[in-house]
Amino acid sequence: MDNVSALTFFILSGLNYTVQHRIILFAFTLLFYVIIWIVNVVLIITIIVDRKLHEPMYIFLCNLCINGLYGTAGFYPKFLMDLLSPSHVISYAGCLLQSFVIHSSSGSDLSILAVMAYDRYVAICRPLMYHSIMTTQRISLLVTFSWLLPLCCMFNNTITVFQSKLCGSHIPKLYCSNALIGKLACSTSIANTSIAYFNIAIYVVHFVFLIWSYMFLVRTCRTSKQGRKKFMQTCVPHLVSLLNFGFAVLFDLMYTRFGSGMSSQSLQNFMAIEFLLIPPVMSPLVYGLKLTKIRNRILGFIQEQKEVVQPRKLY
């Protein structure tokens, strides 16, 4: 325990707006967070309630939405409080917890997208064996994998950061990040660096698998009209979510590498939180609008509510 930092708090210095701008930003942020909850909860409930949607693709989509709520819960409540507070302080334990939640959610996003790509590969490239491969047991294993792997990776990373002796408390970001906490260490930790690169290697494998899956999907779908139709209906939403996530990660990496040299604080902040802004809203909207079963189920429910409300108005 001699190597554990004696720090009890960190200072987040990403916010430097005037009070008036903070109030406006608070209102827009709160509205946006409410929208994130609405679109994700609607999709989650729709999939849970409708037994026709209890298929692998929709089960994985449900987990993607749950993960979106999990990740944003690590950022938005604290950010909203900071907008109304003159000091942007976070406790040492709270900082580690926030970093763990946000980054384990990002890892889980990629794991779920990889699992969804595998599901589409089996459905399109090996359709006759789909039900024998995607059994209930295998679905459970894939869902467990997509949650457990990121949590274990981030837990190991957080433990090594926790054991580092820190010589500063200033974090130039809107939220906590293990990478930035690690930069405050008095000396470089070999364990921290090794685990960080190990985690990166795991997700590089994810990206390679995703590229490999889509190479086979595109090659298979080009040979038949039915395959192209299935690709457009079920793979395009997944591809949009994947590209959206890829751009979000790229923004975050650009911030980590070049953020401090940029003149605009607003641009730096956007780059830092883009993966907490767009993907949590974009994914459920794209899937909800594109996938016919989900769209019809939601529209059918809205129509049922209108038919219930109209007789009451007449009465």
Side-chain angles (χ1 to χ4, degrees), residues 240-311:
V240 170
S241 296
L242 180 60
L243 290 173
N244 186 28
F245 176 80
F247 278 113
V249 171
L250 180 62
F251 268 102
D252 190 48
L253 291 174
M254 287 176 63
Y255 172 86
T256 303
R257 179 65 180 85
F258 304 108
S260 59
M262 293 184 176
S263 58
S264 172
Q265 183 67 44
S266 297
L267 179 58
Q268 292 182 44
N269 290 340
F270 175 77
M271 291 175 65
I273 65 172
E274 199 273 344
F275 72 102
L276 294 164
L277 290 173
I278 310 302
V281 170
M282 182 67 72
S283 294
L285 284 179
V286 168
Y287 279 102
L289 294 174
K290 185 65 179 175
L291 296 181
T292 307
K293 286 186 179 180
I294 293 180
R295 185 176 66 249
N296 291 343
R297 184 67 184 87
I298 294 174
L299 293 176
F301 176 78
I302 295 173
Q303 186 61 35
E304 289 174 5
Q305 295 305 306
K306 286 183 178 179
E307 292 174 358
V308 171
V309 172
Q310 284 177 352

Side-chain angles (χ1 to χ4, degrees), residues 15 22 25-26 29 78-85 88:
L15 279 175
R22 285 187 190 178
L25 188 57
F26 175 87
T29 302
K78 170 60 179 169
F79 180 59
L80 288 168
M81 287 190 292
D82 285 344
L83 287 171
L84 299 179
S85 173
H88 310 129

Side-chain angles (χ1 to χ4, degrees), residues 40-310:
N40 282 279
V41 168
V42 166
L43 211 60
I44 292 168
I45 293 176
T46 301
I47 293 170
I48 292 174
V49 170
D50 194 341
R51 289 186 174 274
K52 295 179 181 179
L53 298 177
H54 292 182
E55 300 176 8
M57 179 175 65
Y58 301 108
I59 292 172
F60 299 141
L61 174 58
C62 184
N63 279 271
L64 187 66
C65 293
I66 293 172
N67 184 60
L69 295 179
Y70 162 68
T72 53
F75 170 72
Y76 283 94
K78 170 60 179 169
F79 180 59
L80 288 168
M81 287 190 292
D82 285 344
L83 287 171
L84 299 179
S85 173
S87 60
H88 310 129
V89 176
I90 185 169
S91 68
Y92 182 80
C95 190
L96 291 177
L97 178 61
Q98 184 183 53
S99 178
F100 176 84
V101 170
I102 291 175
H103 291 99
S104 63
S105 172
S106 297
S108 190
D109 255 343
L110 187 56
S111 294
I112 294 171
L113 288 171
V115 166
M116 293 174 78
Y118 172 72
D119 173 69
R120 290 301 85 204
Y121 163 76
V122 176
I124 294 176
C125 299
R126 305 176 68 182
L128 298 178
M129 301 181 65
Y130 181 76
H131 292 291
S132 61
I133 294 175
M134 299 303 292
T135 60
T136 303
Q137 183 180 6
R138 179 158 295 182
I139 294 168
S140 301
L141 287 173
L142 290 172
V143 169
T144 302
F145 160 81
S146 63
W147 282 97
L148 201 56
L149 178 64
L151 291 175
C152 289
C153 288
M154 277 309 301
F155 178 77
N156 291 333
N157 187 246
T158 302
I159 288 297
T160 57
V161 171
F162 175 73
Q163 293 175 339
S164 301
K165 184 178 180 180
L166 306 181
C167 293
S169 61
H170 178 82
I171 297 179
K173 211 171 187 179
L174 296 175
Y175 60 87
C176 289
S177 166
N178 280 356
L180 293 179
I181 298 174
K183 288 183 179 180
L184 298 175
C186 301
S187 59
T188 304
S189 169
I190 297 176
N192 192 14
T193 304
S194 300
I195 289 177
Y197 280 111
F198 177 75
N199 292 346
I200 291 171
I202 287 177
Y203 290 104
V204 167
V205 172
H206 279 59
F207 271 113
V208 172
F209 174 77
L210 284 161
I211 294 170
W212 175 82
S213 299
Y214 269 94
M215 285 175 59
F216 275 91
L217 283 168
V218 171
R219 190 173 67 180
T220 302
C221 292
R222 287 177 60 188
T223 59
S224 68
K225 185 177 180 180
Q226 185 178 2
R228 288 194 295 270
K229 183 179 179 181
K230 185 178 287 189
F231 182 88
M232 293 299 295
Q233 287 179 342
T234 62
C235 293
V236 168
H238 178 264
L239 193 57
V240 170
S241 296
L242 180 60
L243 290 173
N244 186 28
F245 176 80
F247 278 113
V249 171
L250 180 62
F251 268 102
D252 190 48
L253 291 174
M254 287 176 63
Y255 172 86
T256 303
R257 179 65 180 85
F258 304 108
S260 59
M262 293 184 176
S263 58
S264 172
Q265 183 67 44
S266 297
L267 179 58
Q268 292 182 44
N269 290 340
F270 175 77
M271 291 175 65
I273 65 172
E274 199 273 344
F275 72 102
L276 294 164
L277 290 173
I278 310 302
V281 170
M282 182 67 72
S283 294
L285 284 179
V286 168
Y287 279 102
L289 294 174
K290 185 65 179 175
L291 296 181
T292 307
K293 286 186 179 180
I294 293 180
R295 185 176 66 249
N296 291 343
R297 184 67 184 87
I298 294 174
L299 293 176
F301 176 78
I302 295 173
Q303 186 61 35
E304 289 174 5
Q305 295 305 306
K306 286 183 178 179
E307 292 174 358
V308 171
V309 172
Q310 284 177 352

